[in-house]
């Protein structure tokens, strides 16, 4: 398997066009969710690049052939709640046999550190490629904590898929988990004083679920 670079910025025109519509505050919840599903499939194409293949013998209508199929144990998709679910749906459509896990973290208002409130992961994490999904890599605090949990469960081959990344979050992830490649559709300018990505798209969970 080829290991991707630490950071892959997906500049494909379709991804960039869809992302611009998602950023626009006038875009409705329904359109935002549909575009997120479409983009997640395009990003899934990148994050699964280099997956190992083997061959199996099949019969085409013309003759027998040894044809390529994915090798190894089914991969695990892990959604970092709650916004991760928006990316999860599209990726799962493309890789329907993937196993799915969920990690829920909240921020302790005193320590500002992420605290786990939910974690349900597939078995044999150490034998699978694990793709953690969260649309926004902002401070990196929750992403780093989620990857910590995945490693504690035995995962050794992890990739992180997001839609937008802030330079601060990328640096934090690289320092804490240099072995985890990041795939993103955009690298934005910075975080604001509230830890939101700017120019960003606002609160990804609120935008996709219609909450405030
Ligand atoms: N989470 C979001 O949903 N948006 C941001 O800009 C940062 C974190």
């Amino acid at each position: 398997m080829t290991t991707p670079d630490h950071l892959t910025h997906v500049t494909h025109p379709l991804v960039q066009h869809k992302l611009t519509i998602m950023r626009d505050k006038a875009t409705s919840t329904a359109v935002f969710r549909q575009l997120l599903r479409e983009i997640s499939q395009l990003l899934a194409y990148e994050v699964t690049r280099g997956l190992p293949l083997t061959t199996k013998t099949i019969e085409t209508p013309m003759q027998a052939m040894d044809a390529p199929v994915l090798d190894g144990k089914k991969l695990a998709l892990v959604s970092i709640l709650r916004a991760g679910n928006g990316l999860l749906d599209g990726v799962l459509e493309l890789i329907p046999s993937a196993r799915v896990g969920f990690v829920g973290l909240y921020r302790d208002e005193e320590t500002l550190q992420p605290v786990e409130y939910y974690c349900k992961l597939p078995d044999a994490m150490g034998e699978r490629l694990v793709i953690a999904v969260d649309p926004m890599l902002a401070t990196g605090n929750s992403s780093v904590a989620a990857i910590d949990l995945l490693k504690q469960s035995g995962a050794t081959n992890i990739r992180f898929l997001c839609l937008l990344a802030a330079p601060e979050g990328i640096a934090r992830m690289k320092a804490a988990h240099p072995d985890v490649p990041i795939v993103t559709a955009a690298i934005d300018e910075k975080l604001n004083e509230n830890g939101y990505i700017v120019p960003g798209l606002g609160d990804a969970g609120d935008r996709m679920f219609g909450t405030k």
Side-chain angles (χ1 to χ4, degrees):
M1 184 189 333
T2 50
T3 309
D5 295 336
H6 184 261
L7 181 65
T8 303
H9 178 191
V10 181
T11 56
H12 192 287
L14 284 177
V15 171
Q16 294 305 315
H17 181 86
K18 290 174 193 294
L19 180 56
T20 296
I21 301 171
M22 291 178 73
R23 286 181 188 274
D24 190 335
K25 68 179 184 185
T27 296
S28 71
T29 301
V31 171
F32 186 94
R33 221 174 14 234
Q34 175 60 28
L35 289 168
L36 183 56
R37 180 181 289 258
E38 291 168 13
I39 287 196
S40 62
Q41 296 190 348
L42 297 166
L43 295 176
Y45 180 83
E46 276 304 327
V47 80
T48 53
R49 197 179 276 285
L51 283 189
L53 290 171
T54 184
T55 55
K56 78 171 195 182
T57 307
I58 58 164
E59 296 269 347
T60 78
M62 312 302 290
Q63 64 171 59
M65 75 173 283
D66 290 330
V69 286
L70 291 173
D71 195 16
K73 229 172 161 56
K74 296 191 170 41
L75 60 79
L77 302 174
V78 177
S79 168
I80 302 175
L81 298 173
R82 75 180 156 150
N85 284 7
L87 273 182
L88 175 69
D89 291 346
V91 180
L92 202 49
E93 260 175 37
L94 211 62
I95 317 169
S97 61
R99 301 304 186 236
V100 180
F102 297 91
V103 171
L105 301 158
Y106 71 89
R107 195 167 72 145
D108 185 293
E109 290 307 329
E110 275 179 21
T111 65
L112 302 184
Q113 290 310 304
V115 181
E116 172 192 333
Y117 68 85
Y118 188 76
C119 184
K120 181 83 180 167
L121 298 172
D123 67 359
M125 289 288 279
E127 296 165 47
R128 305 179 189 277
L129 168 65
V130 178
I131 302 176
V133 297
D134 188 349
M136 311 300 268
L137 176 55
T139 61
N141 287 342
S142 59
S143 311
V144 165
I147 304 289
D148 286 341
L149 282 173
L150 299 181
K151 289 186 174 175
Q152 282 161 25
S153 77
T156 56
N157 186 9
I158 307 171
R159 299 179 189 182
F160 184 83
L161 178 61
C162 61
L163 191 59
L164 296 191
E168 295 90 333
I170 294 169
R172 173 107 170 76
M173 276 282 278
K174 187 166 187 177
H177 297 297
D179 56 317
V180 176
I182 299 166
V183 173
T184 184
I187 301 168
D188 273 17
E189 195 187 319
K190 60 176 182 182
L191 295 178
N192 72 9
E193 59 286 0
N194 298 319
Y196 276 79
I197 299 176
V198 285
L201 50 70
D203 186 293
D206 284 349
R207 298 280 319 265
M208 75 181 73
F209 296 122
T211 49
K212 281 233 171 33

